Amino acid sequence: MTTTRSSKYVGVFVALVLVMVPGPLPAAQPQAAISAGTQRSLADVLEEVTPAVVNIAVRSRAPSETNPLYNDPFFRRYFNLPEQKQRLSAGSGVIVDAENGYILTNHHVVADAGEIAVTLKDRRRFTAELVGSDEATDIALLKIEAEKLKALPLGDSSALRVGDSVVAIGNPFGLGQTVTSGIVSALGRGGINVEGYEDFIQTDASINPGNSGGALVTADGRLVGVNTAIIAPAGGNVGIGFAVPIAMASAVMQQLIEHGEVRRGRIGISIQDLTPDLAEALKIEETSGAVVGSVEQNSPAASAGLQAGDVIVAVNNRKITGSADLRNRIGLAQVGSEVEIEYLRDQARKSVTMRIEPAEANAGADATPAPLQGAQFEDAAGNVVVSSIEEGSAAARSGLRAGDVIVAVNRKPVATVAELAAALKDAGGAIALDLFRGGSKLFLVIG
């Protein structure tokens, strides 16, 4: 009896073993082996891309270069002035065109540069020419005359997703070329520079001092961003770094090559983000877009039939995330080119094509009152931003500062530079400006 029961269990056990032992895997196993064999090591990728990342050393202009009196020994001795020392700074750059020697870096790396030296990974050193620089996007373009350069292939920054692996390559603290790794933490970040054109890639890859202007590269070795900034409340890296997407940097580069500057475009509208409350009020299901607040007369938008209340959802068949995204797309588009705007009106989807016209940063300059002479203004997502102030000008003495956001003149709201010019022209006597500065609302009276 016992033997019979044991035999039965042995039979069951053998059956289980036969079921659990894996049989041959005819097709899947070879495919897995091929996939594993074709996966490249990150070290192999970096060996190819790091020669395209360079060190940039900048010797800034000394005060004597800007004031000829500093060159006079008698003047210096009479006023007991100390010897003027030139400031040295370092950053990084990335070669994007080996044939022409073009190198992308940050505007803040080369700002006020008297001399720019580029050192390659193989230790060759060259003096660089500044082709052009754009403060609003923090992008600059250099050019060197050199042979046997290695350029980084450009990737598609619009295809990035949160969680994608990236590496940051640069020259932090003057240590020499260094690589840090991380992931894409967020996309479309803004709010760091109120008058800037922002669409930052956020990453936790360490971007330390000296990394500015370096490369943000995907795991397959393609350039997707130019390292720009970090948030460091304690003075060190806390894993919040930002890079300018290569799509934006490339658009800036093309304009710098053609014009030596960025000639921004406009279509003549003020806009604001499409919020859930606005979407509900407009009875639309879209969750992202830009709501048209006003349309300037005789502008491309007015000629195309856009109206206040329209919700712009796409430009050239690409969805927009909000007003900042739309501002970037239009502002960096080639002046004279045509764009297709897709929008919603009364829950119906429509599209229209319009031509980009030059942004008139100095619109109404002839009508600018004397107390505001020396100030430059720019349209900025439904507001007017003071883009720059000439040092020692009447505007500077009046208390206006670069970065101020003007929202009203003598209590009359203004949303564009053209509206500001008209309001200033109509203003008589004292001028009262409602503005925002550093997140605080101010009331500035200019006599």
Side-chain angles (χ1 to χ4, degrees), residues 24-35:
L25 301 176
Q29 197 168 3
Q31 289 179 356
I34 292 172
S35 177

Side-chain angles (χ1 to χ4, degrees), residues 152-239:
L152 256 180
L154 304 188
D156 183 3
S157 53
S158 65
L160 281 178
R161 297 188 302 166
V162 173
D164 282 348
S165 296
V166 288
V167 292
I169 311 172
N171 188 58
F173 305 109
L175 297 173
Q177 196 174 83
T178 305
V179 176
T180 54
S181 65
I183 63 170
V184 174
S185 304
L187 297 165
R189 289 299 199 206
I192 297 173
N193 182 8
V194 67
E195 71 267 32
Y197 284 72
E198 302 175 321
D199 187 26
F200 291 121
I201 302 166
Q202 181 183 325
T203 176
D204 65 347
S206 296
I207 299 177
N208 296 297
N211 268 117
S212 291
L216 188 71
V217 181
T218 57
D220 62 350
R222 295 193 171 273
L223 180 66
V224 288
V226 177
N227 301 328
T228 296
I230 60 170
I231 291 181
N237 189 283
V238 294

Side-chain angles (χ1 to χ4, degrees), residues 256-306:
L256 293 178
I257 292 172
E258 292 182 23
H259 312 297
E261 62 180 0
V262 176
R263 299 179 178 178
R264 308 209 184 278
R266 67 190 295 273
I267 56 175
I269 57 174
S270 66
I271 50 177
Q272 66 182 90
D273 287 334
L274 176 66
T275 63
D277 290 339
L278 277 173
E280 183 178 356
L282 296 171
K283 295 182 173 59
I284 60 176
E285 297 181 356
E286 293 288 339
T287 58
S288 61
V291 181
V292 178
S294 63
V295 179
E296 295 178 24
Q297 292 183 353
N298 303 318
S299 67
S303 300
L306 279 184

Side-chain angles (χ1 to χ4, degrees), residues 384 386 399-401 403-409 411 432-446:
V384 178
V386 181
L400 207 59
R401 297 181 186 175
D404 286 348
V405 181
I406 301 173
V407 295
V409 176
R411 300 300 187 183
L433 301 178
D434 286 280
L435 56 87
F436 284 91
R437 177 182 297 167
S440 300
K441 188 173 183 179
L442 301 178
F443 188 68
L444 181 65
V445 178
I446 300 175

Side-chain angles (χ1 to χ4, degrees), residues 21-111:
V21 172
L25 301 176
Q29 197 168 3
Q31 289 179 356
I34 292 172
S35 177
T38 57
Q39 185 175 358
R40 299 182 66 198
S41 162
L42 182 57
D44 292 336
V45 173
L46 292 174
E47 189 174 350
E48 291 184 4
V49 304
T50 50
V53 181
V54 304
N55 170 252
I56 296 176
V58 175
R59 187 182 299 275
S60 299
R61 294 187 180 93
S64 58
E65 295 183 45
T66 58
N67 190 334
L69 289 177
Y70 281 115
N71 294 324
D72 187 341
F74 176 79
F75 179 85
R76 299 183 58 78
R77 190 181 306 112
Y78 183 83
F79 288 98
N80 194 28
L81 294 176
E83 288 298 319
Q84 301 297 317
K85 296 182 179 180
Q86 293 181 324
R87 181 173 61 87
L88 297 176
S89 59
S92 304
V94 53
I95 302 171
V96 291
D97 185 333
E99 183 178 353
N100 293 298
Y102 288 134
I103 299 172
L104 281 176
T105 186
N106 286 144
H107 165 82
H108 74 262
V109 169
V110 297

Side-chain angles (χ1 to χ4, degrees), residues 195-197 271 323-331 378-381:
E195 71 267 32
Y197 284 72
I271 50 177
S323 58
D325 188 17
L326 178 61
R327 177 174 175 251
N328 290 339
R329 303 272 192 91
I330 299 300
E378 186 175 282
D379 292 337

